[in-house]
């Protein structure tokens, strides 16, 4: 089987161009064909040179997206944002069965797994990779919750605990940053017997991820590029939901949608 990264890159048409690239300290943004893609990263991890040092605006979207495979985290983040500019566009979202509202900004609680899965996770072992807001309040009282975080809060587990905590868990919710720093393929291997959700505003909303053991994708479709650009530059990623619609794509719903033709 081809790598997850290769499959995502190959799915992008060859003829799409990069219209603009914006990099801030904690995020990247790519404009292409009227759509916008986002990523987040930690540039203090940059210890390797970029694979492609040329002008990113001279690249096709697919070429820029190939940067996701780089070990330079800034370059990988730009590649991730390029991938999102394609798969998270309103057009592609609707093609994959995601129902979009007419409103520019809409909050959908049904697209928040930490709200919608409260009954399902009750009494279960749940591992969350990434410390999301209100997680302890929403999941903490009802399940056996383990939070793994690169920069652990009090009570969190460090990254080294991943190999021990994920095997045998019932639910694994994985932050989308893990695709940029290359942890995601191994996390999916460890969570092969669990229900797996990829979570966060920069989640790639592509059904290709379902082929690699993911059961649900929870992210955002950007409808207001101006707000998205402002919050990226101001490093306020959690305000990104004001720029579009929080969305969810479940494997079972996608398969039913495709079966209808």
């Amino acid at each position: 089987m081809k790598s997850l990264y290769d499959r995502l890159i190959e799915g992008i048409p060859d003829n799409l161009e990069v219209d603009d690239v914006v990099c801030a300290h904690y995020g990247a943004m790519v404009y292409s064909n009227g759509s916008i893609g986002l990523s987040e990263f930690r540039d203090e991890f940059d210890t390797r040179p970029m694979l492609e040092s040329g002008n990113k605006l001279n690249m096709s979207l697919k070429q820029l997206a190939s940067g996701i495979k780089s070990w330079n985290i800034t370059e990988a983040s730009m590649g991730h944002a390029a991938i999102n500019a394609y798969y998270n566009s309103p057009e592609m979202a609707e093609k994959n069965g995601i129902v979009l509202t007419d409103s520019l900004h809409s909050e959908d609680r049904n697209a928040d797994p930490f709200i919608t899965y409260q009954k399902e996770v009750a009494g279960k072992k749940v591992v969350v990779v990434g410390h999301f807001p209100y997680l302890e309040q929403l999941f903490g009282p009802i399940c056996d919750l383990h939070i793994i975080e690169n920069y652990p809060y009090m009570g969190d587990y460090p990254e080294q605990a991943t190999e021990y905590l994920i095997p045998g868990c019932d639910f694994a919710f994985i932050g989308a940053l893990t695709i940029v720093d290359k942890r995601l393929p191994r996390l999916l291997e460890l969570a092969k017997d669990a229900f797996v959700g990829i979570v966060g505003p920069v989640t790639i909303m592509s059904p290709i991820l379902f082929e690699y053991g993911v059961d649900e994708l929870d992210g955002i479709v950007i409808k207001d590029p101006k707000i998205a650009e402002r919050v990226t530059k101001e490093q306020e990623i959690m305000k990104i939901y004001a720029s579009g619609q929080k969305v969810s794509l479940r494997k079972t719903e996608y398969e039913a949608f495709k079966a209808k033709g």
Side-chain angles (χ1 to χ4, degrees):
M1 180 182 287
K2 289 185 178 180
S3 78
L4 170 59
Y5 296 95
D6 288 328
R7 288 279 286 110
L8 289 168
I9 294 165
E10 289 176 0
I12 299 173
D14 294 325
N15 62 344
L16 294 179
E17 298 179 351
V18 175
D19 298 317
D20 198 8
V21 179
V22 176
C23 270
H25 182 55
Y26 286 111
M29 176 182 305
V30 171
Y31 290 89
S32 176
N33 196 38
S35 296
I36 186 170
L38 301 175
S39 181
E40 59 179 321
F41 64 104
R42 301 290 183 266
D43 62 3
E44 62 264 35
F45 292 163
D46 270 347
T47 60
R48 300 289 303 167
M50 289 191 181
L51 297 176
E52 297 286 348
S53 59
N55 187 344
K56 302 299 185 284
L57 297 182
N58 291 335
M59 296 181 181
S60 69
L61 188 65
K62 181 179 256 184
Q63 287 174 314
L64 185 60
S66 67
I68 187 68
K69 299 169 71 174
S70 173
W71 285 103
N72 176 285
I73 299 301
T74 301
E75 186 173 30
S77 181
M78 287 188 283
H80 181 207
I83 290 171
N84 276 344
Y86 177 66
Y87 291 107
N88 289 30
S89 67
E91 178 185 5
M92 285 302 298
E94 291 184 323
K95 283 184 178 180
N96 289 326
I98 296 174
V99 179
L100 299 180
T101 66
D102 294 330
S103 172
L104 274 179
H105 320 124
S106 55
E107 174 72 18
D108 187 353
R109 291 170 62 88
N110 291 324
D112 187 329
F114 302 126
I115 294 176
T116 59
Y117 279 92
Q118 286 184 310
K119 289 183 178 179
E120 285 85 351
V121 304
K124 305 293 186 180
K125 180 181 178 182
V126 179
V127 176
V128 182
V129 180
H131 197 119
F132 293 85
Y134 309 112
L135 190 53
E136 295 94 335
Q137 294 93 322
L138 293 169
F139 271 13
I142 58 177
C143 68
D144 181 17
L145 176 64
H146 303 77
I147 302 172
I148 298 172
E149 172 58 51
N150 273 334
Y151 299 95
Y153 295 67
M154 184 61 66
D156 291 353
Y157 291 87
E159 180 63 28
Q160 294 88 335
T162 299
E163 299 280 335
Y164 302 89
L165 292 178
I166 292 183
C169 73
D170 300 295
F171 290 83
F173 295 98
I174 301 172
L177 176 62
T178 58
I179 197 167
V180 177
D181 61 23
K182 313 300 187 292
R183 287 180 291 161
L184 183 59
R186 178 57 180 160
L187 293 172
L188 294 178
E189 288 180 3
L190 293 171
K192 61 184 177 63
D193 296 321
F195 178 94
V196 177
I198 308 297
V199 187
V202 297
T203 296
I204 300 171
M205 300 302 297
S206 170
I208 289 172
L209 286 150
F210 297 148
E211 301 172 21
Y212 293 82
V214 176
D215 296 289
E216 178 168 324
L217 304 167
D218 298 285
I220 185 174
V221 171
I222 302 297
K223 298 179 180 179
D224 193 325
K226 290 183 179 180
I227 291 180
E229 182 171 356
R230 177 179 59 78
V231 299
T232 299
K233 289 180 176 179
E234 294 176 359
Q235 302 174 29
E236 294 183 298
I237 192 64
M238 293 315 298
K239 292 185 178 180
I240 196 65
Y241 293 109
S243 69
Q245 180 178 335
K246 188 182 286 189
V247 294
S248 177
L249 183 62
R250 297 175 178 89
K251 181 179 180 180
T252 52
E253 293 175 350
Y254 172 74
E255 290 174 343
F257 172 75
K258 296 300 288 185
K260 292 180 180 177

